[in-house]
Amino acid sequence: MVYIHQAIRVPNGKVGGIYKRTPPENLMAHLMKKLPELPEEIILSTSVGTGGNMARFASLKAGYPLEIPASTLDAQCIGGLKSIEMGFALIASGLRKSVLVGGMESVSLAPIRIYTENDPRYTGKPYSQAVFSPNGELSLLPAAERCAKDIDKESMWRWFKRSHLLASQSKEVLAPYLCALEPKHTDLSFRPDIQLEAYSTAEKIDRTTTAPPADGAAVLYLSSDPQGALARIHTVKTIGTDPAFAPLGIRNVISSLNTDLDRIDLFEISESFAFIPEIFCNDTGIAESKVNVLGGTLAYGHPFGASGTIQVVHLLAALKNRNKSWGLTVIPGAGGLASALILENVI
C-alpha cells in the first residue's frame, strides 16, 4: 500500500506577482527543506518550466544528498497527478519505499522559445505554447469552446463566484498545509463580489470562465509505511482522450475507475475552465456541496504543472477538516490526457 505522509504547498502567486523574480526550483527547494524525512527518489512536474532537469536542480538547491535521483516530467496540466501516479507505482512495485512527488511552475519566468529554421513549425517568431496535437491547435481554448457549447455563461459565472467565496472562507483550513517562502506571502486575492460582466467578452471562454495562470509549487511525501500516515492512496490513473475535446477527458478517466461515486465523500474537480465542475455535477448527479468545498482553481489560480498536486493537498485538507473518509480528484490536460486519484483519509 502507498501512504501520504506530508502534503504541503507554497501560496500561489499571480503572474508577475510575488514570485516574479523567484525561479520555480527555489519554491520547490523551500518545500523540500520542510520535509522531515529524505525520500529514496524524487519525481516532479512542470509545464512551462525554466528548462533542464528542474527536479534535480531543486534537490541540489535544497541540500539533498547527491545519491537521491530526481526526474522532471512534462505532462502539462495533469503533471502534478502523473508524478503521484509514478511515485505510487514505484512504491507499490517494491522498487522504492519512499518517493517525493509534486509539481512546480513559474508562468512569470516561462522561457521565450523559438523553433530553428529547419523545423517545419518555424515562423520566425517566439512561441509561448507548444503544439499539443497534430491537428495544430496551440492551446486548450478551441477544445474548451467545443466542450462548453451547451453550458451558458451564467452557470460558469456561478462557479467562478462560488469558488472565490469558498476560498475566502477556507484560509484557516489550509493554513497547516501552506509553507510560505516569506511571511508576507499569501494566496491570490479572492474576489467573491467581483462583477464579472465588466470583464466579459462575446466569447464563452474568456477570463471570466477560465482559471488564471499562476506561479506555485506543491509536494507530497509518499511511503509504504502506514505509521503516522495522513492518508492512503487507493487508486491513481491516467488515460488518453480526444485532444479536440480534452477537458471532457474527466468523463473517461472517472468511468475507467469503476468506482461507485456515491461512496466518495468529497470531490476536488479541476476548475481550469468553469464548465468542468458544472459538467461533472450534471453527468454524475453529485451534489455541489461535495465539490471543491475549499474553492478551486478559478480562485487559487492554475500553476499548470503543480495544479494536480495542489488539488490533492486541498482534498486532503478538506477531508481532515470535515472528518470524512473518501475523496476523489480529477484533472484534464492539453493534448488529450486526464488523471484521477482516489484517497482514503486516515482518521
Side-chain angles (χ1 to χ4, degrees):
M1 294 186 179
V2 181
Y3 298 89
I4 299 173
H5 280 256
Q6 192 85 327
I8 54 176
R9 69 171 178 87
V10 297
N12 284 352
K14 69 178 182 179
V15 178
I18 56 176
Y19 304 131
K20 65 182 179 182
R21 292 186 177 88
T22 304
E25 299 93 330
N26 289 12
L27 297 179
M28 181 54 66
H30 169 71
L31 292 177
M32 294 169 76
K33 291 177 181 178
K34 300 295 182 180
L35 300 178
E37 295 183 65
L38 293 173
E40 293 183 355
E41 187 157 344
I42 300 164
I43 304 173
L44 301 174
S45 161
T46 191
S47 178
V48 295
T50 48
N53 187 352
M54 296 168 61
R56 179 62 172 171
F57 189 103
S59 174
L60 296 174
K61 180 78 174 178
Y64 275 30
L66 299 178
E67 295 76 17
I68 298 177
S71 304
T72 306
L73 69 94
D74 176 1
Q76 296 298 300
C77 300
I78 73 158
L81 274 188
K82 186 63 181 177
S83 70
I84 298 171
E85 182 181 12
M86 295 174 72
F88 176 92
L90 284 173
I91 295 172
S93 68
L95 290 174
R96 297 294 188 195
K97 294 181 180 179
S98 62
V99 184
L100 187 154
V101 296
M104 55 184 143
E105 204 71 85
S106 175
V107 183
S108 296
L109 299 181
I112 299 173
R113 297 178 171 95
I114 188 169
Y115 292 113
T116 67
E117 294 184 13
N118 292 330
D119 194 306
R121 296 165 293 185
Y122 175 74
T123 64
K125 298 179 181 179
Y127 70 90
S128 58
Q129 290 184 327
V131 178
F132 293 128
S133 72
N135 66 15
E137 290 182 354
L138 295 176
S139 73
L140 275 172
L141 291 179
E145 289 282 357
R146 296 185 196 102
C147 297
K149 65 182 181 65
D150 296 325
I151 308 294
D152 60 78
K153 207 164 189 177
E154 287 71 23
S155 295
M156 290 190 276
W157 283 353
R158 185 172 59 81
W159 280 99
F160 189 106
K161 293 181 179 180
R162 175 186 184 273
S163 188
H164 278 256
L165 177 61
L166 293 176
S168 69
Q169 298 170 346
S170 302
K171 295 179 181 179
E172 290 186 8
V173 176
L174 286 175
Y177 304 87
L178 291 180
C179 292
L181 190 64
E182 297 181 14
K184 63 182 180 181
H185 289 171
T186 60
D187 273 320
L188 299 174
S189 298
F190 305 128
R191 305 173 64 187
D193 299 324
I194 188 173
Q195 299 301 310
L196 293 172
E197 296 82 356
Y199 302 95
S200 182
T201 69
E203 303 297 326
K204 185 171 286 189
I205 303 299
D206 60 19
R207 63 186 293 189
T208 69
T209 57
T210 305
D215 304 333
V219 294
L220 304 182
Y221 184 91
L222 307 183
S223 172
S224 59
D225 184 5
Q227 188 68 33
L230 300 174
R232 177 177 71 90
I233 298 177
H234 178 273
T235 306
V236 57
K237 190 172 185 179
T238 299
I239 65 168
T241 64
D242 186 349
F245 296 89
L248 294 185
I250 65 165
R251 288 173 168 167
N252 305 70
V253 72
I254 289 174
S255 176
S256 74
L257 296 175
N258 294 318
T259 296
D260 180 6
L261 296 183
D262 288 335
R263 75 185 183 95
I264 303 296
D265 298 301
L266 296 175
F267 297 83
E268 190 72 24
I269 308 300
S270 170
E271 290 181 352
S272 51
F273 297 103
F275 65 80
I276 295 177
E278 176 77 2
I279 286 177
F280 170 78
C281 290
N282 290 345
D283 283 356
T284 63
I286 296 296
E288 292 182 9
S289 59
K290 291 185 173 183
V291 176
N292 298 356
V293 297
L294 305 181
T297 321
L298 288 165
Y300 294 99
H302 188 11
F304 312 122
S307 286
T309 310
I310 292 171
Q311 288 181 198
V312 176
V313 174
H314 286 198
L315 181 60
L316 179 60
L319 289 171
K320 293 292 185 185
N321 178 254
R322 299 191 176 203
N323 201 33
K324 298 295 185 180
S325 297
W326 291 95
L328 183 152
T329 186
V330 62
I331 188 169
L337 294 171
S339 290
L341 178 147
I342 297 174
L343 61 80
E344 180 184 13
N345 180 25
V346 176
I347 299 176

